[in-house]
Amino acid sequence: MNVREQIQSLREELRQHNYNYYILDNATISDYEFDLKLKELQTLEAANPEFFDANSPTQRVGGTITKNFKTTIHDFRMYSLDNSYSKDDLLDWENRIKKMVDGQVQYTCELKYDGASINLTYKEGKLLRAVTRGDGVQGDDVTANVKTINTIPLQLKGDYPDRFDIRGEIILPLEGFLRMNAEREANNEEPYRNPRNTASGSLKLQDSAEVAKRPLECLLYSIKGNNLNIQTQFEGLEKARAWGFKVPKEAKLVNSIDEVLEFVAYWDTHRHNLPYEIDGVVIKVNDLYQQDELGFTAKAPRWAMAYKFKAEQVSTRLNQITYQVGRTGAITPVANLEPVQLAGTVVKRASLHNADQIEKLDIREQDEVFVEKGGEIIPKIIAVDLSKRPQASEPTRYITHCPVCNTELERIAGEAKHYCPNYTGCPPQVIGRIQHYISRKAMDIEGLGGETVSLLVKEGLVSNYSDLYDLTANEIVPLERMAEKSAENLIKGVEASKQIPFERVLFALGIRYVGETVAKKLAKHFKSIEALKTATVEDLISVDEIGERIAESVVEFFNDENNIQIIERLKSHGIQLEISAEKLASQSEKLKGLSIVVSGVFETVSRNELKKLIEDNGGKVSSSISSKTNYLVAGNKMGPSKREKADKLNIKILTEQDFLTLLK
């Protein structure tokens, strides 16, 4: 067997194993064996680039950077669906159908997956492109990201058409979503709100390697094309499954609306047993000829209807209100509930947010409360059943002292939260700051997780994040659940963090109100920690989008002698506390103080690159024209209203080349 045949054989074998695992849920080799074969293929492909195949199994790991997603027109328009909420709605729909078509009407009932719509185009059995729904006429080409999703075949099996489109929903299964959120919370990051939005947002990530890390799936439901030799919707589902697509087997062919209603009723109560979220059922006329007869309205097909489930809520008793302390000292009240089944999970706790929310709803211990799941995941209390309130009930008195260290709480004017001011002595704050420091978007220290941080603090090995750089493997090995290899990886991860750039270090310090974006702006403006720590409130407010609250928080941080000592220790360990020379070389002050609006389509550089050039050269990108605008950079297809407003305000209009010349 020559090299080309060897590569082809490995590709076919890996595709089959992928199909067995992700589509049939019947793995025939271990993950370890699969990874060994994948690495073998990667090595062969790297050594023989002339045999490159964009649809090879090795391409699923991602790594492609997409700064601008190309707008692509759909070959077949993606319509919306009309919604129904009752039996009467479905009966009315059936009556309209029977007036327009002759003969018996069968229906295909499918689950309505709650995710992000996608249109996949295949040519000669290979994935050609993947395009988001967009406005139905055109969407964004997200092929590089979609290729990382294992349930989307890159090469089809069997007797498939030469070219066709297939529609589906990109979803994030509940198990994967909960796992992602547990990781984010361990890193002191805001949890994702729900699987649907997370799946949708994943499609527009610029780095496909990041998409590959997310356990996304694609569930397919509709084939579009010419001369497909498919007579019915149900036949289409079966063929798609045979070609290698993941088509849930819950779909059912029925003969009447009564059977449709049975299907709806069954899944309204059993949907929580599914590994992913659904928000209803989609009913379609099964016969494709009848579909053609029925046609479309301006917005939706007449031959399909979505039945939407009602939002689920339950009532339960609020046993106790407890309080959590975050890394900034912020206090969050938590409702501890009598366990209750809701949307497929047992709910025991719900956030009460702050004192104002408790007062607004007049929430008290021992109240019967109504609980709802936002996005079917995050529980929230939406009301109190006052008819069941105990007679001896007393209004909730918000705590006055920290529940952990007993320090008297403070509440800053204009803020909803109470805070514990014991910055250095309150254990949850100490642990939380270190957990934030090591998190992925901050210092990204591999080998060190939230539980290990808690253990290190508990054992007295660290009391702040600068202590991490003094740790030795010998100190770590004796700790619970720590082996020699784990200790070595932790030390290597800490050492590697010394290369993290200044803006991320600044974010990692955990200054209140200084998130990722603010940290980037401050790093770019002040260029070093030395310049930033001597800045006054006035200096800080002069920076674009830095308000008084952020400025005061930064000044307060650097006025704390403990923080200054920690920063000096970080400096002694070689942490990046200033912008690198390479980055400085790419920046200038040519556009300092100028407000610039960008509008239209550009040829030499993309719109996002244009905005970056403005910011890198000291300018401010503004979204709308005002009397404070200095320039309007106009590309092709710019709307006439912006040009008219610019002319009216005597704002200079630059072409793309004018702007690039200005920079030179």
Side-chain angles (χ1 to χ4, degrees):
M1 188 184 293
N2 60 35
V3 173
R4 183 172 191 165
E5 290 170 336
Q6 194 177 353
I7 288 173
Q8 193 57 36
S9 175
L10 273 171
R11 284 173 180 164
E12 290 300 326
E13 185 181 357
L14 287 166
R15 284 184 186 123
Q16 185 61 43
H17 286 311
N18 197 65
Y19 176 76
N20 293 343
Y21 185 89
Y22 290 102
I23 308 301
L24 301 182
D25 195 22
N26 182 30
T28 49
I29 62 171
S30 68
D31 290 350
Y32 176 71
E33 290 171 305
F34 183 91
D35 289 341
L36 284 180
K37 289 180 182 293
L38 188 64
K39 284 177 183 175
E40 183 184 353
L41 177 57
Q42 286 173 320
T43 302
L44 284 170
E45 288 180 341
N48 301 275
E50 65 272 23
F51 301 134
F52 172 80
D53 182 352
N55 290 312
S56 168
T58 58
Q59 299 303 300
R60 289 198 183 276
V61 297
T64 302
I65 304 297
T66 308
K67 292 186 177 179
N68 297 285
F69 294 92
K70 179 185 173 185
T71 300
T72 302
I73 296 174
H74 295 298
D75 290 343
F76 304 92
R77 180 175 166 183
M78 294 183 75
Y79 284 86
S80 301
L81 291 175
D82 285 334
N83 292 327
S84 63
Y85 299 90
S86 68
K87 177 180 179 179
D88 288 343
D89 289 344
L90 290 179
L91 290 172
D92 287 344
W93 175 63
E94 182 189 40
N95 288 333
R96 292 196 300 272
I97 286 170
K98 290 191 171 179
K99 287 177 182 176
M100 297 178 70
V101 296
D102 296 324
Q104 182 190 6
V105 178
Q106 288 186 307
Y107 303 97
T108 303
C109 297
E110 301 168 59
L111 303 180
K112 189 174 183 297
Y113 320 118
D114 199 11
S117 298
I118 196 73
N119 186 82
L120 308 173
T121 302
Y122 283 82
K123 186 176 181 182
E124 297 175 355
K126 296 182 184 293
L127 178 63
L128 180 66
R129 69 186 189 195
V131 182
T132 62
R133 184 186 179 281
D135 62 2
V137 175
Q138 58 186 18
D140 292 324
D141 188 321
V142 290
T143 308
N145 286 343
V146 160
K147 278 187 174 182
T148 69
I149 300 172
N150 287 297
T151 47
I152 293 178
L154 304 182
Q155 172 67 58
L156 301 182
K157 301 151 54 74
D159 184 21
Y160 43 79
D162 181 62
R163 180 176 175 130
F164 68 96
D165 284 3
I166 185 164
R167 272 88 189 258
E169 203 83 357
I170 306 290
I171 59 129
L172 181 56
L174 293 168
E175 183 183 346
F177 176 73
L178 294 171
R179 190 167 65 245
M180 286 173 67
N181 266 353
E183 185 180 318
R184 287 182 70 81
E185 287 170 352
N187 292 329
N188 257 310
E189 295 176 321
E190 189 76 20
Y192 294 117
R193 292 185 65 181
N194 56 59
R196 182 187 184 281
N197 291 351
T198 310
S200 180
S202 299
L203 294 182
K204 298 299 289 289
L205 291 175
Q206 292 191 343
D207 186 354
S208 61
E210 288 300 312
V211 185
K213 295 176 185 176
R214 301 186 173 191
L216 300 168
E217 290 190 7
C218 185
L219 308 179
L220 285 303
Y221 55 72
S222 177
I223 301 172
K224 299 290 178 186
N226 299 314
N227 305 315
L228 296 179
N229 195 28
I230 297 172
Q231 309 304 317
T232 68
Q233 165 67 14
F234 202 76
E235 180 191 356
L237 296 178
E238 291 177 320
K239 286 203 171 189
R241 195 178 291 118
W243 297 336
F245 294 103
K246 184 158 188 173
V247 180
K249 293 186 177 180
E250 287 78 13
K252 187 176 182 181
L253 182 61
V254 301
N255 296 305
S256 67
I257 285 294
D258 285 338
E259 288 182 67
V260 168
L261 290 167
E262 286 176 16
F263 185 91
V264 167
Y266 178 85
W267 285 109
D268 197 3
T269 56
H270 288 78
R271 56 182 158 138
H272 307 307
N273 299 332
L274 292 165
Y276 47 80
E277 287 188 334
I278 65 170
D279 59 357
V281 167
V282 177
I283 307 106
K284 301 172 186 172
V285 170
N286 187 48
D287 188 287
L288 299 188
Y289 176 76
Q290 289 180 333
Q291 286 189 12
D292 284 341
E293 272 194 291
L294 290 162
F296 300 83
T297 66
K299 294 182 180 180
R302 293 191 180 94
W303 43 263
M305 180 67 73
Y307 184 95
K308 300 293 287 287
F309 296 137
K310 291 180 175 65
E312 187 176 345
Q313 61 177 236
V314 294
S315 68
T316 189
R317 189 172 66 250
L318 195 170
N319 291 324
Q320 185 185 22
I321 297 174
T322 56
Y323 299 84
Q324 293 179 337
V325 187
R327 67 174 175 85
T328 62
I331 306 297
T332 301
V334 177
N336 294 271
L337 307 168
E338 189 69 26
V340 62
Q341 189 80 16
L342 175 61
T345 57
V346 176
V347 173
K348 298 177 182 179
R349 289 152 61 88
S351 172
L352 293 173
H353 304 293
N354 52 56
D356 291 343
Q357 183 72 2
I358 292 173
E359 185 179 356
K360 179 183 175 184
L361 296 177
D362 188 20
I363 296 171
R364 308 179 186 185
E365 291 185 345
Q366 304 308 311
D367 271 345
E368 189 76 11
V369 295
F370 294 102
V371 184
E372 189 175 275
K373 269 197 171 181
E376 304 233 347
I377 284 295
I378 301 167
K380 59 181 178 181
I381 292 175
I382 57 169
V384 175
D385 187 345
L386 296 176
S387 68
K388 295 182 180 178
R389 173 168 282 172
Q391 285 190 347
S393 174
E394 292 285 336
T396 297
R397 296 186 180 216
Y398 205 84
I399 58 170
T400 57
H401 290 72
C402 176
V404 179
C405 69
N406 205 37
T407 303
E408 187 173 356
L409 300 181
E410 296 177 352
R411 189 176 188 182
I412 301 168
E415 291 219 6
K417 293 269 188 187
H418 286 73
Y419 290 89
C420 169
N422 187 8
Y423 185 77
T424 57
C426 186
Q429 294 188 58
V430 172
I431 293 168
R433 279 197 299 276
I434 301 172
Q435 289 174 337
H436 171 74
Y437 183 84
I438 68 169
S439 63
R440 186 173 56 83
K441 291 185 178 180
M443 303 302 280
D444 193 19
I445 298 181
E446 290 188 24
L448 182 56
E451 288 185 14
T452 306
V453 168
S454 298
L455 196 58
L456 290 170
V457 173
K458 181 182 173 184
E459 295 297 324
L461 291 174
V462 298
S463 61
N464 61 68
Y465 37 69
S466 67
D467 290 336
L468 295 172
Y469 298 92
D470 292 321
L471 288 172
T472 64
N474 289 338
E475 289 176 312
I476 300 168
V477 169
L479 296 177
E480 187 181 346
R481 298 189 304 277
M482 268 293 174
E484 192 170 327
K485 187 66 177 175
S486 301
E488 287 175 6
N489 289 340
L490 192 157
I491 297 299
K492 283 179 184 176
V494 169
E495 184 64 26
S497 74
K498 294 178 181 179
Q499 305 307 314
I500 296 295
F502 175 45
E503 62 267 24
R504 281 175 58 187
V505 176
L506 188 54
F507 170 59
L509 295 182
I511 304 170
R512 191 183 296 177
Y513 312 129
V514 177
E516 282 182 273
T517 304
V518 170
K520 285 177 184 176
K521 288 184 179 295
L522 292 175
K524 182 180 173 184
H525 183 89
F526 290 99
K527 299 183 173 51
S528 73
I529 203 81
E530 290 302 314
L532 182 60
K533 76 180 184 182
T534 58
T536 64
V537 169
E538 289 73 23
D539 295 333
L540 288 155
I541 290 174
S542 69
V543 181
D544 182 37
E545 293 182 29
I546 303 299
E548 191 171 341
R549 188 168 67 169
I550 296 172
E552 288 173 348
S553 179
V554 171
V555 169
E556 182 182 346
F557 180 88
F558 288 109
N559 280 342
D560 188 312
E561 188 56 37
N562 183 64
N563 291 334
I564 296 298
Q565 288 175 9
I566 291 171
I567 287 167
E568 289 302 315
R569 288 185 64 202
L570 292 176
K571 190 185 296 182
S572 70
H573 287 295
I575 308 304
Q576 304 295 314
L577 293 172
E578 60 184 18
I579 290 181
S580 66
E582 293 83 3
K583 196 154 191 175
L584 279 173
S586 69
Q587 297 180 353
S588 81
E589 299 292 315
K590 288 179 182 176
L591 304 178
K592 185 176 181 180
L594 299 180
S595 176
I596 301 172
V597 173
V598 176
S599 183
V601 179
F602 301 92
E603 297 173 359
T604 308
V605 293
S606 70
R607 184 191 291 224
N608 284 341
E609 288 170 335
L610 204 60
K611 290 180 176 180
K612 187 174 185 300
L613 281 172
I614 293 169
E615 291 175 344
D616 284 348
N617 288 278
K620 175 186 175 183
V621 179
S622 182
S623 58
S624 59
I625 296 171
S626 71
S627 58
K628 294 181 180 179
T629 304
N630 298 99
Y631 293 115
L632 167 62
V633 183
N636 298 325
K637 300 181 182 178
M638 184 184 77
S641 61
K642 278 191 175 169
R643 185 176 293 275
E644 288 170 12
K645 192 166 185 180
D647 288 338
K648 186 177 179 181
L649 295 171
N650 292 319
I651 292 163
K652 188 168 184 180
I653 300 175
L654 303 177
T655 65
E656 182 180 356
Q657 289 306 317
D658 289 339
F659 173 76
L660 295 174
T661 302
L662 178 68
L663 283 186
K664 290 177 184 176

